[in-house]
Amino acid sequence: MPKNKFLCISFSLSEENQPKQEEDLGVQFTDKFIQEPDNITLLLTLLEEFDFHVRWPGVKLLTALLKSQCAPVQGIILVSPMG
């Protein structure tokens, strides 16, 4: 097998595994983030700001957390005083 074909095959295999690794990293981050429910409460507090440059990153972070682990994040929001 020529060296170039081997590199192409190994590169395509590593690309197939990459989304799963990124997903696992997102789940790990979410687990760490929601271990302290005050983090979600602080994030909800940021969403009360009127400044777009404060709210938009908060919305993106909350969306990513919900995509990663919806039920636990949703549970924290529902028991939060701000939720």
Side-chain angles (χ1 to χ4, degrees), residues 13-32:
L13 289 176
S14 68
E15 284 180 341
E16 291 173 1
N17 292 334
Q18 187 174 4
K20 184 179 179 187
Q21 290 173 346
E22 288 176 2
E23 183 177 307
D24 291 342
L25 186 60
V27 171
Q28 289 175 5
F29 173 78
T30 304
D31 283 338
K32 294 280 187 191

Side-chain angles (χ1 to χ4, degrees), residues 12-80:
S12 67
L13 289 176
S14 68
E15 284 180 341
E16 291 173 1
N17 292 334
Q18 187 174 4
K20 184 179 179 187
Q21 290 173 346
E22 288 176 2
E23 183 177 307
D24 291 342
L25 186 60
V27 171
Q28 289 175 5
F29 173 78
T30 304
D31 283 338
K32 294 280 187 191
F33 193 81
I34 64 175
Q35 280 179 354
E36 186 63 42
D38 287 340
N39 291 336
I40 299 293
T41 305
L42 288 171
L43 182 57
L44 294 174
T45 303
L46 286 175
L47 295 179
E48 291 182 344
E49 293 290 325
F50 292 107
D51 186 12
F52 174 78
H53 297 290
V54 174
R55 290 180 75 163
W56 181 242
V59 169
K60 289 182 2 182
L61 176 59
L62 186 59
T63 302
L65 293 171
L66 286 167
K67 282 183 181 180
S68 179
Q69 292 194 354
C70 185
V73 174
Q74 200 172 32
I76 293 171
I77 290 172
L78 290 175
V79 299
S80 169

